Structure formats: C-alpha cells, structure tokens
Amino acid sequence: MTETTARVTPDPRRAILSRWTDWGKWLALISMTVDHVVRYALSNELSWQFGWASSTIGRVAFPLFAAMVAWHGLFDTRNPMRYARRILIIGLVAQLPYMLMPRYSSVLVINVCFTLAFGLVWGAWLRQLIVSPPRDGGARIITAAGVALSIIVWYTVGPLLEYGRFGLLMVPGFMLAMAVYQHFDHGVTRIWAWLAGVPILLITAQLNIYTISKTVAFSTTLVVLVIAAGLARFIPGVVRMPRWLWLGWYPGHLAVIALIVYLPYLLPT
C-alpha cells in the first residue's frame, strides 16, 4: 500500500532516507499475514492457542502501513491523490475475499486499504491548507466549512472502516509528525518538534483493546517516529520487495485464506 510509481525527480539523499520503508514492507506483510492466518485460517482451538501471535506480531502491521503511506505521500510522490487511488484499487479487488473472512458480527466493514486511502486524502488536503492557507475572508469561510464537513464525514464513516475512527486518523497523524521532523532546527525548536509525535502516539494507543496489543502498536509507532526524526539515514538497505508481490499480496492472501476456509464445504463428502 505504498507508492511505487509517479515519484518525484530522484534524489539520492531522499532515497537513503526512504530505505526504512523497504524493511517496513517485509515486516508489515509478515505481521499482517500472521494476524490473518491466526484469526481466519486456523480452527477455533488453534486460533485460541496461537492468539498471542495475533495480539503481538499481528499488531505491528497497521501502524507500519499507515506510516509508510504517510511517508510516501509526503516525500515520494508528486500526486498524493493518484497514490490514494492506487490504494483504493487494491482495496476494491480485496473487498470480496475480505468479506468472506469468518466474523463474529454481521456488520459490513470495509477493508484497511480504504482506511489508508481516505486517511491519505484527508491528511494531504489538511497539509495543503496549512502550507497555503486561504487569504480572503470568503475563502476562509469555505475552508472552515470544508474542515467541519470532513470531521462530520470522519465521525459518520469511521465505524464502517477497518480500525474505525482512530484508524482514519493514523495517516494524517503520521504526516503531521513527519512533516515537522523534516524541518526542525536544533535547540529549543527541536524540543517543540518532538511534540508533533504526541498526537499519533495517543491515537495509536486507542487502536486496540488488550494491553499487550496496545503496547506493541504503540512501540511500533514510536520506533517509526524516531526513524522519521533522524534515524532513517543510518538504516542499511535491504532487498526490495517485487512490485507484483507488494501490490498483489493483500488481496491474494485473503483469497487463499477464503479458499482454505470454504473449500471443505465445497468438496463432495
């Protein structure tokens, strides 16, 4: 769910700073797959036995996905809206197998790609307003009305999306912190800049119910913030994930899990 095309003019320094996302892709896919296999593909007994893996390893994925979407939306693409459309396409392909996953509720939930894409659109729009605020009174009124409407939409639509209202805030929260970290100076300004990470840490803490899951997700976000604040330049490179694997894994692994779950019912007895 991160950007792979429509990049800005190659910048060697930026490429070095973005190497952490190559590690992030591998880790996020492993975490997500472990979570989904435990929750959906295993029998009830095995799912209960290996539930610890879902509550720990599986809680790394979403903060990492949100962080990578925010990073690429800020620094590695000319057009965040086109990037969001690509994420939505993956989400549309994945929605059917996602709906086939065994659930304990009949409420329709839309998969995480929509959460990430809508969060990116919202974050990019709000950032543009901060960078280039309207100057005349009429435009300010329209902008204020637009912000208020977006909050209403967030509150209304949030429960329909995977990870809910707080999930929708993850990408904008990361974008705020990362944008500030890339521009802070030394001294007192640097201390104030670190405070930009507080909102996303508070948001992450609301994503999960159990203490262990909260701790893992919170720690993941904290590590990403440290990387964004300066550690990124020291992270070594790793084998880059093939594009086809990155784009196809989410819908593909859900389809395989759906096949595992439902195939026994389709075979003749």
Side-chain angles (χ1 to χ4, degrees), residues 30-150:
I30 293 171
S31 170
M32 177 182 66
T33 304
V34 168
D35 179 38
H36 290 171
V37 167
V38 170
R39 282 200 290 158
Y40 302 135
L42 300 183
S43 65
N44 290 337
E45 182 179 350
L46 288 175
S47 180
W48 178 263
Q49 183 178 349
F50 291 99
W52 62 267
S54 179
S55 299
T56 54
I57 299 172
R59 298 306 97 199
V60 172
F62 182 62
L64 256 184
F65 279 126
M68 289 188 290
V69 167
W71 180 273
H72 288 297
L74 280 171
F75 306 121
D76 293 336
T77 180
R78 293 188 183 93
N79 190 336
M81 299 305 167
R82 183 165 57 182
Y83 177 20
R85 288 197 298 270
R86 289 193 176 94
I87 300 174
L88 283 176
I89 291 173
I90 297 174
L92 287 170
V93 174
Q95 185 59 25
L96 178 57
Y98 178 78
M99 292 172 63
L100 292 175
M101 296 299 101
R103 302 186 186 282
Y104 299 102
S105 172
S106 59
V107 177
L108 174 65
V109 178
I110 303 174
N111 70 69
V112 70
C113 289
F114 291 83
T115 307
L116 295 172
F118 293 161
L120 174 59
V121 170
W122 198 19
W125 178 61
L126 292 175
R127 178 173 179 267
Q128 184 61 34
L129 291 181
I130 294 173
V131 173
S132 303
R135 299 185 180 277
D136 61 272
R140 289 176 181 175
I141 293 174
I142 295 174
T143 299
V147 172
L149 179 61
S150 72

Side-chain angles (χ1 to χ4, degrees), residues 146-214:
V147 172
L149 179 61
S150 72
I151 294 174
I152 294 173
V153 172
W154 162 77
Y155 186 84
T156 304
V157 176
L160 301 177
L161 300 175
E162 193 171 6
Y163 291 99
R165 296 188 182 104
F166 288 108
L168 271 175
L169 295 174
M170 288 291 286
V171 174
F174 270 121
M175 292 180 78
L176 168 66
M178 290 172 174
V180 172
Y181 290 167
Q182 292 299 306
H183 296 91
F184 67 69
D185 297 321
H186 296 287
V188 177
T189 307
R190 187 172 190 172
I191 297 175
W192 284 107
W194 275 100
L195 295 179
V198 172
I200 186 60
L201 288 171
L202 295 177
I203 293 167
T204 305
Q206 308 305 314
L207 291 177
N208 300 282
I209 299 175
Y210 301 111
T211 301
I212 184 63
S213 299
K214 287 178 178 287

Side-chain angles (χ1 to χ4, degrees), residues 20 63-64 67-68 174 178 219-229:
W20 73 270
L64 256 184
M68 289 188 290
F174 270 121
M178 290 172 174
S219 300
T220 301
T221 293
L222 183 60
V223 169
V224 170
L225 291 178
V226 173
I227 290 173

Side-chain angles (χ1 to χ4, degrees), residues 29-30 32-33 241 244-255:
L29 287 195
I30 293 171
M32 177 182 66
T33 304
M241 183 174 294
W244 63 267
L245 181 62
W246 179 242
L247 296 179
W249 187 263
Y250 182 64
H253 91 286
L254 289 178

